[in-house]
Every structure is written in structure tokens, then in C-alpha cells.
């Protein structure tokens, strides 16, 4: 409890002394939040680390561009590329990795009572410069002994990329809430989040590695095959092939493509830190149809999101389905954020419903399971306290089942903290 | 945190409370253990391989004695006697017990005794052991000579003369023996393994055992028997006898049904891998075994995790009629039984588990904990009316557990 209070206090102090106003930021940027729940779960941690990233990227005020207004045609571009390589990319990489390890693997581990430890390496290019012989990766280590169970291990293994895909989803929510505006660094983190482990997803080793060896994706494919009794080499290869094929859905993403293009054209070429995606407008509301992707305990999971918003609020309606061929898993839901209610309150909520195989961490070698329907209901809101400072939180209740970013078990869930309106 | 009333219901195989559905329903309920017989003070016990419908359990009495043949402080345990419990047809109690003292010659041994065992003859017991004697040759080299000793004693304590089969002697070797008594005949298998040669202070190459078998006639005469070639030509340690569903079987690199003269009388079945194999031989044979390796693109590789427990069906000629299906993972398979169109398998991975499957090997539900202890007990599984019961022997007791399964 003391750690949580200290963390929230430090964050509040940082945001108080580094006002966002004056920097190039989206006009309707979402609130900065520092929220936590007793387990530092995935959604609260992802949102908090995303906000921390927005705070720390204020370094660009300390290092203004030198050649921007010199009128020279090439030097400003070269300077932006150098700044990208030495500042922007390493920082975005660190943010993505911290989310992956702490808010991803760590959150899923803490959810089942584990106490993970973390190891981080220098981001490139500093790793090549200062520790060229270090071949270790960033990793999360769980400190538990005894028999491990696939139902307990699978969510931890996939939790890393799940948190990255959740980051991308919350970025799309901010994109629509901000009328299509997105900061250069948010686009960087988005691209890194969406393409993490791409080489593993698309590589040749996916179907050949062991239950405990290899990286997250190789271990995931092996454990997924184990969970569904695909024990022969041919069956394991088929499971891995389906994961690889499904991954293409993750890359056919308009925000990803737009981010890549604007990083080069707006970011390097024109020196613009904030770009605007041309979102369709229907009756004065921005709308956006977008795919979403994640790994789940049953295989790859695909979403279609329909976003709609008019600053400051945003809404999302989605449906999801699985393509692993190992089970039937479907769902749908909706989320609404930041609807003004009076002058001091913003309210929202979410509802999700699904059918999927039961997740039971006490089960052993239970391959063919019945499906169970589930539901999640939550209220999300904030109340202004003084000036830009608000109390914000979420409180909900869900039944047992996998929902991206939420605890798997049944029961109440939510988080509480502070928000700062930029 | 659960709010409100807790309502437990099994809905479509899932246990639900007011808070949600997160526990899967086990397909069977395992009862607590019920002791049905025992021998106070006995430790290890095993089921006797017998063609009778009523199981018999043999318990040994042992005492630890310093072994003069080993390093100081080492102890050998020599059986001082045995008790055989014969259970009733319902497997709920014993009908009689027979107690035997060890022959005086064995009891007098204080060491240099290996491969002790007992074969129950029904009313009498045949004790077998290997006596080792170490001598120093005139050239200073030590030589260890081993010989097999057989002696029958009845429940009244009357000893028959000890028999030392002339062929069961060897020097600088290891002599292993096992046997059983079936249909009036006592059958013995043996393996003689020469000691590895020491070459220049290093160990020599591993040596293959010479395996064989013989029978003991009514008057104690030794009657040679020829092992089936498939066992004799591929020795994998000591072949042993077992009785599965009333069929006498030689267990070696294959499972070979034989008669009293060791003629092959049924389908020869594979005994895959080096881990335990259990079988059903009543009707079309069904095998279950734990395999720590897997073949991929022609290459065999060790599995990185627990061995796969595989089930496969064969026809009466021993040809497979189904692919091997995995029903769980475990390093040790203990028993298999059939109940209608279902199979029950008991295996041990730390804890002891029961797995239920359809006759085609399709798993039903998950593994169910039978026992939390890690003791390596001997078990027999029996199937009846879509349910099963398990008899386990350990710590001087025979206990019974019911596995009541949903239809």
C-alpha cells in the first residue's frame, strides 16, 4: 500500500512541475492518469505507463531542434533522424518494453499470486555502444516452484504481447477522442507495440521449439498445442501455422500504416510532432473502423472495432472471434469514455459478453472443455477536484473468462487514482 | 470476493457459483481410501501375479542387518518371512492368509545376499536368493562367485531341501532372478550379466546379460525352458512373468503371451520405450504406456516436458487398429482397466491420478487426484458398470477406492 501511495505521489509531482500546455500536443489529448489496483493489473498499468511516457517525452522541450529555422534544406531532416535514433526511438522502445514486461507478463503473474522480477537491457543504439557483447534479452522471471499448469502459464506467456496490443487499442481510443490527432511518440509506441515479436510470428522456428524454450511466441505456440492435446509434431506445426496466418490480421491496420507514413513524411520531412489522421465524420462525429488483434488462451483472437467520438468522449463497439480451430470463442462489447456530466464529472462504462472454453487453473490434462458464457460490466469515471486534477477510477464485475487487459478470474475489478487534464 | 448467496450447480460440465463458472466438473468422483486388509509391521507389499479371479497380496517382513560384504555402515535387508493375503471376490476383505518364515539358511545369511524373492505356491512359498562368495586366488586376484538357491517352505514351517541349480552359478557376475507359479508350474527367469572389465583404470564397455528360463518340477527338479526368440535375442535386462486378464505374459522388449512351456500363444505386442506399460488382453488388446520420446521426420528426440501417456488398440493378431492417442502426461503408468466403452488409467506424477477415456482413446474430462502421497504403491484397477475401483498396496495395508463416473 505504501508503495502504491508513493508511486502516485511521485507521478503527481512530476506532472505538476511539467505542464503540458505550450508543447506540441494533440488539441484534445486525453487526461494523464496514474491509476492502480491491488495487483497492479494490466489495464491500470498500461494506462499509467502510457501517461508516464507522455510526461517524459517533454525532453523535446529541453532539446529544441537547432536547424529547424535555418532555411537549409537537408540539415533539419538529418537532425530529426539523429534525434530519432538517439532520443525518440530508444525512449519509445523502453516504454514499449516496460509495458510488455511489467504491465504484461508481470500483471498476469501478479494476478495469480506470483511475485515476478524484471531484467531490462539498454535500448539500441546504446546497447551496441556500451555493451556490444550482451546478448541477453529483457525478461520477466517468475519465482515459484512446484508443478506448473498450462492454464496458469498461458496467460503469463501471452501477457507481454497482450499488453502491447492493449496499448495500441487505448491509442486508437485517444486517436478518435482527439479528432484524429496523434503525437509522434504515440505513433512510435503504437508501431513498436503492434510489431513486437513480428520476426518470431513470421519466422521458421515457431513450430519446432519446446514448452519452455524460445521466446514468448514460440513458448505460446507450444503451450497452446499442449493445452489442446495437439501432441504430435504435425499437429504442433499446424497450431503454429494457424498462429502465423492469424498474425497477418495484426499487420493490416490503418493506424499502423498511417503511423509509418507520417513518421517519415510529417516527422522527418516536415518536423511536425503532431499529425492528424483524416477520419470520416458522420453527423459531426468522427468514426473509425479498425481491426484489433491479440493472443488468447485459446489461440489468436481477432476484433473489429467501430470507434465514434466527439471530443472529449469516445465510444467503441466491437465483436471478436477466434481462428485457432481448437475451440469456439466469440464475444462482443462496447465501451464509452469521458462523457461530460455537468461541469466536474466525466462518466463512462463498458459491457462485454462472450462464450469461450472454461479456464480452470486447477485442471490437469483437461483437453476438451465445455464453453461457458460470461459477462463483464464496469463503470468508468472521473470527478474534478481542483483545477486540472481529478480523481478517476473504474469499478466493475466480471465472470470467469478472458477479456483483453482484465483479470481472468471472476469477481470485482477496477482501479483508482488521479487524472490530470492537459 | 463472492457476493450474495453461493449456489453451486453443475451446468453442462462446469461448476458454477453466483459469481461465475470457473471450475470444471470431474467426470468421476474418487472416494476416500477404505482399508480392507493388512499385515501390521509389514512394509512393502505387492500383488501376486495369478490367474485366479481373487487377487492375492504378498507382504514381506524384513530386518536390516549389517552386510559384511559391503562397506561398513551399509545394510542389506533380507526377508525374514512373508504373508500372503487372499482377497474375496468382491475385493472388500480377505478370505484367508498364509504366513511363511524364511528358510533357516536364508535367515542365517547376514550379507552377501542379493536378488531375494518369494514365489507363492498356494499353501507354500518358494524363497529364492543369490549367495555370493568372494575368494582370493593364488595370484592375488579376488574372485566373486554367485549361485542361485531355491528353497520351499510351507505354512507349517516345514522346509524342503534347498536346490542349487547347476546352471545358475557364475563368477564375477550379477545374477538376477524372478518368477511366478501358475497352473501348478513354477516358472523362473534369470539374467546373468558379466561384470564390466576394467581397462587401465577406466570402466569397460557395458555388457549384455544372458537371459533364460526354467521350470521347477513337482519333485524340485530343474526343467529347462527356452525363452521365445523375440525375448532371448533382444535382452533388455531381466525378463519377467506377469498375468494380465488371466493370460500368462512374458514382459521384455515386447509383451509376449505364452503357455507353461513358454510357447507363444497370442499376439505379440510392443512395449514401447523403457517406461512402464499396462495392458488389457481380454478381447482386442489395448496398451497404455508412458513415452519420453517422440519421432519427428524420422528422428527420435526426448520430450522437453513430462512423457506422453499414450493409448493404442490392437487386433487379435497384434496389429494396431488405431493411432496412439494421448490421454495425459506422466512419467509412470500404473494400471489400466475397461468398463463398458470406457478406459480408466491410473498414473503417477508426484501425486497419483485417475484418467478416464473412451475406448478409442479420447480423453473424458481431466486427471483426478486419487492420492496426494508420493509413495510408489502397487495397484490393480478393476472396471464394472461404467465405474471403477482401485486396490492399492503400501505400508502393510490393502486399501480400496471407488471411482464413480457419470454415465
Amino acid at each position: 500500500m505504501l508503495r502504491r501511495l508513493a508511486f502516485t505521489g511521485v507521478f503527481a509531482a512530476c506532472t505538476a512541475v511539467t505542464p503540458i500546455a505550450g508543447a506540441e500536443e494533440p488539441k484534445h489529448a486525453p487526461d494523464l492518469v496514474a491509476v492502480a489496483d491491488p495487483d497492479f493489473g494490466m489495464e491500470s498499468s498500461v494506462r499509467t505507463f502510457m501517461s508516464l511516457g507522455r510526461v517524459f517525452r517533454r525532453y523535446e522541450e529541453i532539446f529544441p531542434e537547432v536547424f529547424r529555422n535555418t532555411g537549409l534544406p537537408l540539415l533539419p531532416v538529418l537532425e530529426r533522424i539523429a534525434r530519432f535514433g538517439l532520443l525518440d526511438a530508444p525512449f519509445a522502445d523502453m516504454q514499449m518494453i516496460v509495458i510488455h514486461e511489467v504491465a504484461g507478463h508481470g500483471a498476469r503473474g501478479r494476478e495469480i499470486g506470483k511475485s515476478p522480477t524484471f531484467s531490462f537491457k539498454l535500448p539500441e543504439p546504446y546497447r551496441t555502444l556500451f555493451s556490444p557483447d550482451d546478448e541477453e534479452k529483457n525478461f520477466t522471471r517468475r519465482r515459484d516452484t512446484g508443478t506448473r499448469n498450462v492454464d496458469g502459464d498461458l496467460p503469463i506467456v501471452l501477457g507481454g504481447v497482450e499488453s502491447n496490443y492493449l496499448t495500441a487499442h487505448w491509442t486508437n481510443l485517444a486517436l478518435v477522442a482527439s479528432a484524429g490527432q496523434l503525437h509522434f511518440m504515440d505513433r512510435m509506441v503504437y508501431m513498436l507495440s503492434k510489431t513486437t515479436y513480428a520476426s518470431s510470428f513470421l519466422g521458421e522456428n515457431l513450430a519446432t521449439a519446446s514448452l519452455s524454450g524460445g521466446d514468448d511466441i514460440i513458448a505460446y505456440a507450444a503451450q497452446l498445442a499442449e493445452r489442446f492435446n495437439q501432441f504430435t509434431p504435425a499437429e504442433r506445426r499446424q497450431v503454429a501455422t494457424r498462429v502465423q496466418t492469424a498474425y497477418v490480421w495484426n499487420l493490416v491496420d490503418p493506424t499502423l500504416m498511417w503511423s509509418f507514413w507520417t513518421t517519415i513524411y510529417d516527422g522527418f520531412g516536415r518536423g511536425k510532432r503532431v499529425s492528424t489522421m483524416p477520419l470520416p465524420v458522420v453527423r459531426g462525429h468522427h468514426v473509425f473502423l479498425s481491426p484489433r488483434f491479440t493472443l488468447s488462451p485459446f489461440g489468436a483472437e481477432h476484433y473489429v472495432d467501430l470507434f465514434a467520438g466527439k471530443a472529449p468522449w469516445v465510444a467503441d463497439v466491437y465483436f471478436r472471434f477466434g481462428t485457432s480451430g481448437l475451440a469456439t470463442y466469440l464475444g462482443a462489447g462496447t465501451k464509452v469514455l469521458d462523457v461530460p456530466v455537468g461541469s466536474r464529472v466525466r462518466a463512462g462504462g463498458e459491457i462485454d459478453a462472450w462464450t469461450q472454453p472454461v479456464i480452470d487453473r486447477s485442471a490437469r490434462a483437461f483437453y476438451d472443455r465445455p464453453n461457458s458464457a460470461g459477462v463483464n460490466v464496469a463503470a468508468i469515471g472521473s470527478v474534478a477536484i481542483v483545477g486540472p486534477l481529478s480523481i478517476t477510477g473504474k469499478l466493475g464485475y466480471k465472470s470467469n473468462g478472458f477479456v483483453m487487459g482484465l483479470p481472468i478470474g471472476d469477481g470485482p475489478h477496477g482501479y483508482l487514482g488521479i487524472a490530470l487534464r492537459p | 470476493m463472492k457476493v450474495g448467496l453461493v449456489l453451486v450447480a453443475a451446468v453442462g460440465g462446469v461448476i458454477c457459483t453466483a459469481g461465475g463458472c470457473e471450475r470444471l466438473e470431474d467426470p468421476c468422483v474418487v472416494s476416500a481410501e477404505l482399508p480392507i486388509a493388512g499385515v501390521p509391521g509389514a512394509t512393502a507389499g505387492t500383488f501376486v501375479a495369478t490367474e485366479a479371479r481373487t487377487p492375492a497380496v504378498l507382504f514381506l517382513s524384513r530386518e536390516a542387518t549389517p552386510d559384511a560384504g559391503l562397506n561398513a555402515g551399509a545394510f542389506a535387508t533380507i526377508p525374514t518371512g512373508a504373508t500372503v493375503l487372499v482377497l474375496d471376490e468382491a475385493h472388500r476383505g480377505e478370505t484367508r492368509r498364509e504366513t511363511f518364515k524364511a528358510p533357516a539358511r536364508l535367515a542365517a545369511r547376514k550379507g552377501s545376499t542379493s536378488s531375494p524373492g518369494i514365489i507363492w505356491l498356494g499353501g507354500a512359498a518358494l524363497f529364492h536368493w543369490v549367495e555370493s562368495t568372494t575368494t582370493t586366488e593364488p595370484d592375488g586376484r579376488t574372485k566373486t562367485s554367485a549361485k542361485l538357491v531355491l528353497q520351499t517352505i510351507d505354512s507349517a514351517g516345514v522346509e524342503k531341501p534347498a536346490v542349487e541349480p547347476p546352471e545358475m552359478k557364475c563368477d564375477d557376475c550379477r545374477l538376477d532372478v524372478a518368477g511366478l507359479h501358475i497352473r501348478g508350474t513354477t516358472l523362473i527367469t534369470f539374467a546373468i550379466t558379466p561384470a564390466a572389465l576394467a581397462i587401465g583404470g577406466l570402466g569397460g564397455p557395458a555388457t549384455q546379460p544372458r537371459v533364460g528360463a526354467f521350470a521347477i518340477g513337482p519333485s524340485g527338479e530343474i526343467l529347462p525352458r527356452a525363452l521365445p526368440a523375440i525375448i532371448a535375442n533382444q535382452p533388455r535386462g531381466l525378463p519377467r512373468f506377469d498375468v494380465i486378464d488371466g493370460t500368462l505374459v512374458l514382459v521384455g522388449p515386447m509383451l509376449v503371451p505364452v503357455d507353461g512351456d513358454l510357447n507363444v500363444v497370442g499376439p505379440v505386442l510392443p512395449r514401447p520405450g523403457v517406461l512402464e506399460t499396462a495392458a488389457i488382453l481380454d478381447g482386442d488388446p489395448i496398451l497404455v504406456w508412458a513415452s519420453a520420446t517422440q519421432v519427428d521426420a524420422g528422428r527420435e528426440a526426448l520430450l522437453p516436458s513430462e512423457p506422453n501417456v499414450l493409448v493404442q488398440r490392437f487386433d487379435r493378431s497384434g496389429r494396431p487398429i488405431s493411432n496412439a492417442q494421448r490421454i495425459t502426461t506422466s512419467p509412470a503408468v500404473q494400471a489400466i482397466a475397461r468398463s463398458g466403452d470406457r478406459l480408466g488409467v491410473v498414473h503417477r506424477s508426484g501425486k497419483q491420478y485417475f484418467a478416464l477415456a473412451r475406448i478409442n482413446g479420447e480423453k473424458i474430462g481431466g486427471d483426478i487426484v486419487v492420492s496426494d502421497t508420493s509413495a510408489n504403491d502397487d495397484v490393480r484397477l478393476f472396471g464394472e458398470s461404467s465405474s471403477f475401483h482401485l486396490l492399492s498396496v503400501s505400508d502393510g495395508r490393502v486399501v480400496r477406492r471407488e471411482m464413480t463416473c457419470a454415465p
Side-chain angles (χ1 to χ4, degrees):
Chain A
M1 178 60 74
L2 283 178
R3 279 193 299 139
R4 293 170 205 143
L5 289 174
F7 168 75
T8 307
V10 167
F11 176 76
C14 287
T15 53
V17 300
T18 55
I20 300 292
E24 192 176 353
E25 289 284 341
K27 184 179 176 186
H28 300 290
D31 292 352
L32 297 166
V33 298
V35 288
D37 59 84
D39 290 328
F40 290 102
M42 185 179 294
E43 183 172 291
S44 61
S45 300
V46 164
R47 294 190 66 195
T48 301
F49 284 126
M50 290 176 70
S51 293
L52 265 179
R54 289 168 58 195
V55 170
F56 289 137
R57 74 185 181 211
R58 302 303 298 277
Y59 63 81
E60 58 197 28
E61 291 186 9
I62 302 173
F63 300 104
E65 290 187 35
V66 174
F67 296 105
R68 173 185 277 274
N69 298 317
T70 59
L72 298 170
L74 194 59
L75 277 177
V77 174
L78 295 176
E79 181 188 10
R80 290 181 205 119
I81 293 174
R83 288 168 61 91
F84 171 82
L86 296 174
L87 289 174
D88 298 335
F91 182 75
D93 193 35
M94 278 302 303
Q95 180 175 339
M96 184 275 290
I97 288 171
V98 169
I99 287 175
H100 181 98
E101 302 295 345
V102 180
H105 298 306
R108 286 298 185 202
R110 289 186 294 272
E111 189 179 313
I112 59 171
K114 305 305 175 187
S115 179
T117 59
F118 307 99
S119 178
F120 297 102
K121 303 297 177 179
L122 288 174
E124 296 292 2
Y126 302 103
R127 182 165 174 169
T128 301
L129 291 172
F130 296 114
S131 56
D133 295 329
D134 187 356
E135 296 182 347
E136 269 195 348
K137 298 182 180 181
N138 305 283
F139 60 87
T140 302
R141 181 182 287 117
R142 47 186 293 179
R143 297 180 299 166
D144 61 320
T145 57
T147 304
R148 290 162 68 153
N149 170 276
V150 173
D151 273 50
D153 283 354
L154 254 179
I156 296 176
V157 169
L158 68 90
V161 292
E162 181 193 356
S163 67
N164 293 134
Y165 300 140
L166 186 67
T167 301
H169 175 63
W170 278 90
T171 303
N172 273 325
L173 285 165
L175 174 78
V176 177
S178 305
Q181 290 190 326
L182 206 59
H183 191 276
F184 179 90
M185 288 301 291
D186 289 330
R187 301 199 301 273
M188 280 290 304
V189 173
Y190 188 92
M191 286 190 288
L192 289 170
S193 299
K194 290 284 287 187
T195 57
T196 182
Y197 281 110
S199 59
S200 185
F201 273 106
L202 302 173
E204 293 179 348
N205 292 331
L206 195 54
T208 60
S210 69
L211 276 175
S212 57
D215 60 26
D216 289 357
I217 311 307
I218 292 171
Y220 170 79
Q223 292 202 2
L224 186 68
E226 187 69 16
R227 158 67 181 82
F228 287 93
N229 204 21
Q230 307 296 294
F231 69 98
T232 66
E235 288 172 332
R236 283 203 299 272
R237 273 192 287 275
Q238 185 175 47
V239 169
T241 301
R242 286 193 176 221
V243 171
Q244 286 185 315
T245 305
Y247 181 70
V248 175
W249 180 278
N250 177 55
L251 301 176
V252 181
D253 176 351
T255 307
L256 179 65
M257 298 173 190
W258 172 76
S259 296
F260 179 73
W261 164 246
T262 54
T263 295
I264 297 172
Y265 183 71
D266 281 349
F268 297 153
R270 300 166 62 194
K272 282 184 60 177
R273 298 298 274 181
V274 176
S275 297
T276 303
M277 190 179 194
L279 298 177
V281 177
V282 176
R283 296 191 178 184
H285 298 80
H286 291 93
V287 296
F288 181 37
L289 190 68
S290 175
R292 192 180 357 156
F293 177 85
T294 189
L295 299 179
S296 80
F298 327 109
E301 195 168 57
H302 310 262
Y303 298 63
V304 177
D305 286 284
L306 176 61
F307 299 97
K310 186 174 182 181
W313 65 267
V314 62
D316 169 38
V317 176
Y318 75 89
F319 74 90
R320 56 172 167 150
F321 58 96
T323 55
S324 66
L326 302 170
T328 299
Y329 48 113
L330 306 166
T334 185
K335 189 198 307 283
V336 178
L337 298 173
D338 289 335
V339 177
V341 179
S343 61
R344 301 171 70 87
V345 175
R346 288 191 183 180
E350 65 185 18
I351 298 176
D352 304 275
W354 62 85
T355 176
Q356 59 187 226
V358 175
I359 298 174
D360 181 353
R361 281 195 284 265
S362 65
R364 186 181 197 282
F366 204 133
Y367 303 121
D368 188 16
R369 306 183 185 188
N371 265 34
S372 176
V375 67
N376 165 59
V377 179
I380 310 167
S382 61
V383 177
I385 302 298
V386 56
L389 185 67
S390 301
I391 299 288
T392 187
K394 175 181 181 180
L395 183 63
Y397 197 94
K398 68 180 288 290
S399 47
N400 178 273
F402 176 79
V403 178
M404 197 176 177
L406 299 186
I408 287 177
D410 66 309
H413 64 92
Y415 43 79
L416 188 66
I418 57 170
L420 198 67
R421 192 147 304 153
Chain B
M1 180 174 73
K2 300 288 189 285
V3 178
L5 293 175
V6 175
L7 175 65
V8 180
V11 180
V14 180
I15 293 178
C16 302
T17 68
C21 302
E22 63 176 1
R23 269 236 47 229
L24 292 159
E25 185 182 8
D26 290 329
C28 307
V29 175
V30 178
S31 71
E33 65 176 31
L34 174 69
I36 62 173
V39 177
T43 52
T46 58
F47 283 93
V48 175
T50 171
E51 76 277 21
R53 286 180 53 82
T54 53
V57 181
L58 185 146
F59 288 99
L60 291 178
S61 304
R62 293 181 184 270
E63 69 176 41
T65 59
D67 188 334
L70 300 175
N71 294 330
F75 284 79
T77 57
I78 298 174
T80 56
T83 302
V84 175
L85 305 181
V86 180
L87 304 182
D88 60 25
E89 285 208 16
H91 304 168
R92 293 191 181 278
E94 65 176 89
T95 57
R96 73 178 193 277
R97 63 172 58 193
E98 298 175 9
T99 301
F100 310 95
K101 288 190 321 182
R105 177 172 172 175
L106 176 60
R109 301 284 300 179
K110 295 300 181 186
S112 298
T113 305
S114 62
S115 202
I118 300 169
I119 301 171
W120 181 51
L121 308 179
L126 173 68
F127 283 74
H128 62 80
W129 65 95
V130 174
E131 295 180 352
S132 301
T133 308
T134 302
T135 56
T136 303
E137 299 288 281
D139 60 2
R141 191 173 60 89
T142 58
K143 183 175 75 173
T144 301
S145 301
K147 62 181 176 183
L148 174 65
V149 181
L150 306 164
Q151 189 164 19
T152 300
I153 186 167
D154 65 20
S155 54
V158 176
E159 298 184 14
K160 288 189 174 177
V163 175
E164 300 177 14
E167 298 298 320
M168 296 293 104
K169 291 184 169 79
C170 60
D171 296 328
D172 295 325
C173 66
R174 177 192 167 105
L175 179 55
D176 294 304
V177 172
L180 61 53
H181 185 81
I182 186 169
R183 299 172 198 132
T185 303
T186 301
L187 295 167
I188 305 279
T189 55
F190 63 85
I192 299 175
T193 310
L197 295 174
I199 302 174
L202 300 175
T207 50
Q208 285 279 51
R210 178 171 69 87
V211 298
F214 58 89
I216 300 177
S219 304
E221 66 274 28
I222 304 299
L223 306 171
R225 290 285 187 270
L227 287 174
I230 199 165
I231 297 282
N233 295 339
Q234 300 180 50
R236 194 196 290 173
L238 174 69
R240 55 182 178 82
F241 290 104
D242 200 355
V243 177
I244 301 174
D245 295 325
T247 302
L248 179 63
V249 177
L250 257 175
V251 181
M254 311 290 278
L255 288 177
V256 186
V258 294
D259 61 13
D261 294 322
L262 303 190
N263 300 308
V264 179
V265 296
V268 174
L269 300 171
R271 186 168 165 243
V274 297
L275 302 175
E276 284 303 314
T277 301
I280 294 171
L281 298 182
D282 183 13
D284 286 346
I286 301 173
L287 282 189
V288 63
W289 70 97
S291 175
T293 59
Q294 195 167 54
V295 176
D296 185 9
R299 289 190 305 172
E300 189 175 49
L302 270 177
L303 290 171
S305 54
E306 278 198 327
N308 292 329
V309 175
L310 303 170
V311 169
Q312 192 170 22
R313 298 171 62 198
F314 299 80
D315 63 15
R316 308 277 176 124
S317 306
R319 284 190 299 263
I321 57 175
S322 73
N323 291 328
Q325 298 294 331
R326 185 174 79 167
I327 61 170
T328 187
T329 57
S330 192
V333 170
Q334 291 189 295
I336 183 174
R338 179 175 181 168
S339 177
D341 64 345
R342 294 181 177 182
L343 299 175
V345 174
V346 175
H347 61 94
R348 183 172 282 285
S349 175
K351 299 179 184 180
Q352 189 177 55
Y353 295 93
F354 175 78
L356 184 70
R358 294 192 172 84
I359 200 75
N360 61 2
E362 182 186 339
K363 181 80 176 286
I364 302 172
D367 290 352
I368 306 162
V369 175
V370 174
S371 168
D372 283 325
T373 64
S374 58
N376 193 17
D377 46 359
D378 194 13
V379 303
R380 289 290 187 271
L381 185 66
F382 302 88
E384 72 266 322
S385 305
S386 79
S387 292
F388 302 81
H389 70 269
L390 179 71
L391 299 180
S392 305
V393 178
S394 67
D395 297 332
R397 301 184 311 153
V398 183
V399 301
R400 174 181 172 127
R401 289 182 178 88
E402 311 291 335
M403 286 87 170
T404 308
C405 303

